Amino acid sequence: MTLQLKVPKLVCSACAKTITEAIKKVDANAIVQADPKTKLINVETQASRTAIETALASVGYPSAA
């Protein structure tokens, strides 16, 4: 499934790298696109939305509701 999440703390490419690594720990085959300009991430994953949101929060990048 494809998820689109707004991550207010996503401000640079280093943030995007951290977010991508966190998601890959949950789903190694996930495809992650992170855009610091829009603060949006698109994730193609087999993991649940909750698992992805938990992974983001665990590295300091909680998604906005």
Side-chain angles (χ1 to χ4, degrees), residues 16-62:
K17 184 175 186 285
T18 300
I19 287 168
T20 300
E21 289 172 355
I23 291 170
K24 295 275 190 181
K25 286 181 183 173
V26 175
D27 179 357
N29 296 317
I31 299 169
V32 182
Q33 295 176 321
D35 185 348
K37 291 179 185 169
T38 62
K39 301 189 183 305
L40 291 174
I41 62 167
N42 291 305
V43 184
E44 180 69 35
T45 182
Q46 297 303 311
S48 70
R49 182 181 189 98
T50 302
I52 298 299
E53 289 176 338
T54 300
L56 294 175
S58 74
V59 293
Y61 294 95

